[in-house]
Amino acid sequence: MMTFFKLFRKGMKWGTIISTLLFIAITLIQIYGRFFMTKAPSWTEEAARVAFIYAIAFAAGLAVRGTYYVDFGFLVEKFSTRTQNMIKFFIWAVTTVFVLIFTYHAIDFLLMGTIEKSPSLKYRMAISFSGIAIMGLSILVHLIYEKPKSNKPSKI
């Protein structure tokens, strides 16, 4: 299980890096086209949008692992250790159920995109829509792996 998670996390990191670099490169091409060409390439806006979607999709699970999302730790810390553990578990359980539902519907959304084509690049919209499913799966895997551990008071 640990090897799968390490490989999964490495894939998410590289996916984030590559899609972010693509987003930057495509945006620079678009800027260059607008300033120095008679007509900017029409494909750049759509391609940049797809690269941005994938950058967010790959990074979403990594943000769960790094606890970069909004946290109300200052409020939870006011309770006893037992209550803190119960609150953290409740938040984790509700978030996991929400992401499960989100991912299920994201896969339905992806399947709808198999019949549609993008307006400019003419690829199947399932390619763009798959970013949402990737985001759901990424968050779900990290939530399951990062299940809250109990805060046992230290014996000092």
Side-chain angles (χ1 to χ4, degrees):
M1 182 69 170
M2 187 68 160
T3 305
F4 166 77
F5 183 71
K6 282 184 178 181
L7 287 173
F8 184 80
R9 191 175 58 204
K10 190 174 280 194
M12 293 296 112
K13 283 181 182 179
W14 278 106
T16 303
I17 291 167
I18 290 168
S19 51
T20 301
L21 291 174
L22 273 172
F23 174 72
I24 291 168
I26 293 166
T27 304
L28 289 174
I29 291 169
Q30 187 177 33
I31 291 169
Y32 178 83
R34 287 188 180 183
F35 282 106
F36 301 110
M37 298 170 73
T38 56
K39 186 177 178 191
S42 61
W43 59 270
T44 54
E45 186 175 334
E46 192 172 323
R49 192 177 311 123
V50 172
F52 182 72
I53 289 169
Y54 273 96
I56 299 303
F58 287 124
L62 298 173
V64 168
R65 175 160 167 67
T67 62
Y68 294 120
Y69 287 112
V70 175
D71 187 358
F72 292 100
F74 68 92
L75 182 65
V76 175
E77 290 171 0
K78 304 232 184 259
F79 296 104
S80 69
T81 304
R82 184 171 186 266
T83 307
Q84 285 180 26
N85 291 334
M86 288 175 26
I87 291 170
K88 287 179 183 178
F89 182 79
F90 176 75
I91 291 170
W92 173 83
V94 169
T95 305
T96 303
V97 168
F98 171 75
V99 173
L100 270 169
I101 294 167
F102 172 85
T103 305
Y104 173 78
H105 289 291
I107 292 170
D108 278 347
F109 188 54
L110 183 147
L111 294 175
M112 283 192 295
T114 58
I115 56 174
E116 295 180 38
K117 288 196 172 187
S118 75
S120 179
L121 295 174
K122 304 295 182 210
Y123 64 87
R124 297 270 180 213
M125 287 303 291
I127 294 171
S128 292
F129 296 168
S130 66
I132 299 168
I134 290 170
M135 181 172 64
L137 289 171
S138 175
I139 292 172
L140 194 59
V141 166
H142 283 87
L143 278 173
I144 291 169
Y145 185 78
E146 296 293 325
K147 192 171 121 177
K149 288 103 180 155
S150 63
N151 288 344
K152 294 183 180 174
S154 60
K155 296 178 183 178
I156 299 178

